[in-house]
Each structure stands twice: as structure tokens, then as C-alpha cells.
Amino acid sequence: MTIGSLAESTQTRVETVRWYEKVGLLPPPARSSGNYRLYGPEHLRRLSFIRRGRALGFTVEQIRDLLALADDRDRSCGEVDTIARAHLADVERKLADLTRLASELREVIGQCGCGSVADCRIIEALSPLGEPA
């Protein structure tokens, strides 16, 4: 399949497919006699894996490690578990930070009397030392 077909099949931009090749996540495809890239089912599977990993928030380096582990089918999945658990811990830390942020925003918004901007508690909370922006 062409790069356009591969990109469309995985809902990936063509530039992103090329970048994944450049950084070594996708193996170089075969070339046609006209020097066009020709992708096979292995590229589709691998790019789908990459896209799903990115959708779950894994970093490019984590995906690189997971792909290397996936390529060695006889290996223990303990390292996969370690990578996934570390990523989950990062996600949970971010969720805790976002929960605190939401609480702080709710408090500031709750103090808004919807009067004039000069008396706005939201602007005051965002301004250093309560000075106008």
C-alpha cells in the first residue's frame, strides 16, 4: 500500500508516518521501481500499535521500548508490565494535579460576584500580588 493509504488506514498524517520512519519506529518500506514507498501488513500493524500507544499517552521512547519487547515474543512480559505501571503512575500523578487545579478554579470562580472587572476575584487571583494585569 502507498503512504497515503497507510496514513488513511490508521488516521495518521503522512508527515507523521515519515517521521516515525525517520526516528526508527517504523522500518523502512520497500520501494517501487518509481521509488515510491510500498508498505505491507507489518507496517499497518506496527503503525496501529504506535497510534494506540500514543493515544494512551505513552511517550515515543516508551513505545520504542514496547515495540522492541513485542518483537521478542519469547521474552517475559515483566518489562512490559514495568513500563505500563510507570506510565500509569505518571497518569495518576497528572490526574491528582488536575483535580487540585479544578478545585482551585472552582473556588476562584465561586468568589466571582459578576460585577465589574475592577472587582473581579478571578482577575485578582491571576494577577501577581493582586495588581491589575
Side-chain angles (χ1 to χ4, degrees):
M1 79 179 70
T2 65
I3 194 168
S5 298
L6 178 67
E8 186 177 335
S9 295
T10 57
Q11 297 179 335
T12 306
R13 293 181 6 182
V14 169
E15 297 81 19
T16 304
V17 174
R18 288 188 186 118
W19 186 79
Y20 286 146
E21 284 178 38
K22 182 180 175 185
V23 298
L25 291 181
L26 276 178
R31 296 282 184 154
S32 71
S33 59
N35 204 30
Y36 289 101
R37 291 174 169 94
L38 297 175
Y39 297 90
E42 70 281 1
H43 292 98
L44 179 60
R45 282 190 299 274
R46 196 166 182 99
L47 184 54
S48 296
F49 182 98
I50 293 166
R51 294 287 293 165
R52 181 69 179 136
R54 293 296 288 147
L56 290 172
F58 285 98
T59 66
V60 169
E61 281 309 310
Q62 288 171 323
I63 291 172
R64 183 184 313 283
D65 293 343
L66 290 169
L67 284 168
L69 292 165
D71 288 341
D72 188 359
R73 307 295 286 176
D74 294 326
R75 206 164 168 178
S76 165
C77 70
E79 289 179 66
V80 174
D81 185 69
T82 299
I83 293 168
R85 286 179 186 277
H87 180 56
L88 177 59
D90 286 342
V91 168
E92 288 174 338
R93 269 192 298 280
K94 289 175 185 174
L95 279 171
D97 289 345
L98 287 170
T99 299
R100 282 190 295 275
L101 176 62
S103 177
E104 187 175 336
L105 282 169
R106 270 190 218 96
E107 183 178 328
V108 170
I109 291 168
Q111 294 173 0
C112 181
C114 295
S116 70
V117 171
D119 299 322
C120 181
R121 299 287 296 154
I122 297 170
I123 296 294
E124 182 181 320
L126 294 173
S127 301
L129 305 172
E131 298 170 5

